[in-house]
């Protein structure tokens, strides 16, 4: 996967605001952070935070996207069959920063307008088209949907909350599931 999902270019002030908010989320949780506290941490005026992010939803969406592309950035996979390793690595990174993983997951899972539930979908589609062009539309959609879902903070949250799994078990289960998805198409690889 990549860390190059479509995120608008940020000014230095915006990056400072998002970094400050991410730090505060890890310390206090996302609900207990006021614009005043964010401004103080970022070393700017509270009005500057409001000017850049007029609503809490704007701030949350921007922060989730920033977290995903900076703190949870991924090395680009060069083969669709490398994706299980990328997923394993992502699950382990989410586990190291659980508060931030929850923010990314909940923003996407709540369907907040503007959230990107599968930001690396286009990359998966390019890899699949290059390596397994013989898939019909339904098969292609199923593989992309399954891999997109598995490669998400939402999957990490589900495995942690619903199944009480630990870091290694989450990483193993997500990677194993991705391998199972890809096993069904391995014999169709273009030569």
């Amino acid at each position: 996967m990549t860390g190059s999902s479509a995120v608008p270019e940020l000014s230095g002030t915006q990056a400072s605001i998002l970094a400050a908010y991410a730090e505060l989320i890890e310390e206090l949780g996302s609900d207990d952070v006021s614009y005043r506290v964010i401004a103080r941490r970022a070393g700017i005026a509270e009005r500057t935070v409001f000017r850049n992010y007029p609503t809490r939803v704007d701030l949350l969406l921007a922060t989730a996207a920033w977290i995903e592309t900076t703190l949870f950035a991924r090395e680009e996979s060069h083969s669709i069959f490398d994706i299980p390793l990328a997923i394993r690595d992502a699950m382990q990174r989410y586990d190291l920063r659980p508060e931030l993983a929850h923010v990314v997951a909940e923003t996407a899972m709540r369907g907040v307008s503007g959230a990107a539930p599968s930001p690396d979908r286009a990359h998966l589609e390019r890899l699949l088209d290059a390596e397994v062009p013989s898939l019909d539309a339904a098969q292609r959609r199923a593989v992309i949907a399954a891999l997109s879902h598995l490669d998400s903070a939402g999957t990490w949250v589900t495995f942690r909350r619903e199944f009480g799994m630990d870091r290694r078990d989450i990483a193993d289960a997500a990677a194993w599931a991705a391998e199972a998805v890809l096993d069904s198409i391995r014999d169709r690889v273009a030569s």
Side-chain angles (χ1 to χ4, degrees), residues 19 24 59 93 146 181 187:
L24 290 163
L59 178 60
R93 281 194 317 279
V181 168
D187 63 339

Side-chain angles (χ1 to χ4, degrees), residues 8-19 21 35 38-39 42-63:
E9 193 69 29
L10 299 174
S11 69
T13 299
Q14 290 170 323
S16 295
I17 292 167
L18 301 179
Y21 188 37
Y35 274 40
I38 295 167
I44 58 174
E46 184 176 359
R47 147 180 22 165
T48 304
V49 179
F50 279 107
R51 207 173 315 127
N52 284 277
Y53 303 103
T55 70
R56 296 287 284 178
V57 170
D58 294 331
L59 178 60
L60 188 62
L61 283 171
T63 303

Side-chain angles (χ1 to χ4, degrees), residues 29-181:
S30 62
D31 294 335
D32 298 326
V33 181
S34 69
Y35 274 40
R36 178 177 293 145
V37 172
I38 295 167
R40 191 174 308 135
R41 177 66 62 97
I44 58 174
E46 184 176 359
R47 147 180 22 165
T48 304
V49 179
F50 279 107
R51 207 173 315 127
N52 284 277
Y53 303 103
T55 70
R56 296 287 284 178
V57 170
D58 294 331
L59 178 60
L60 188 62
L61 283 171
T63 303
W66 182 83
I67 290 166
E68 188 74 55
T69 60
T70 58
L71 303 177
F72 296 142
R74 295 134 191 247
E75 293 292 321
E76 185 169 312
S77 295
H78 299 289
S79 169
I80 194 77
F81 297 102
D82 292 339
I83 297 301
L85 295 174
I87 290 172
R88 175 186 302 277
D89 185 53
M91 293 301 126
Q92 291 173 336
R93 281 194 317 279
Y94 292 141
D95 205 78
L96 294 174
R97 300 185 89 167
E99 290 297 328
L100 298 181
H102 282 278
V103 166
V104 170
E106 290 177 11
T107 301
M109 290 174 14
R110 285 184 186 166
V112 175
S113 178
S118 55
D120 289 318
R121 177 180 174 177
H123 181 67
L124 290 172
E125 289 172 342
R126 283 190 302 276
L127 291 174
L128 194 59
D129 288 347
E131 293 179 75
V132 195
S134 63
L135 291 181
D136 66 38
Q139 292 167 322
R140 182 179 183 277
R141 186 175 49 252
V143 169
I144 296 298
L147 293 177
S148 292
H149 178 72
L150 288 167
D151 189 21
S152 70
T155 294
W156 178 84
V157 168
T158 299
F159 286 174
R160 170 69 70 193
R161 282 187 185 166
E162 300 297 320
F163 298 103
M165 297 169 79
D166 66 20
R167 177 182 179 183
R168 192 191 80 228
D169 289 343
I170 292 170
D172 288 347
W176 175 83
E179 287 286 353
V181 168

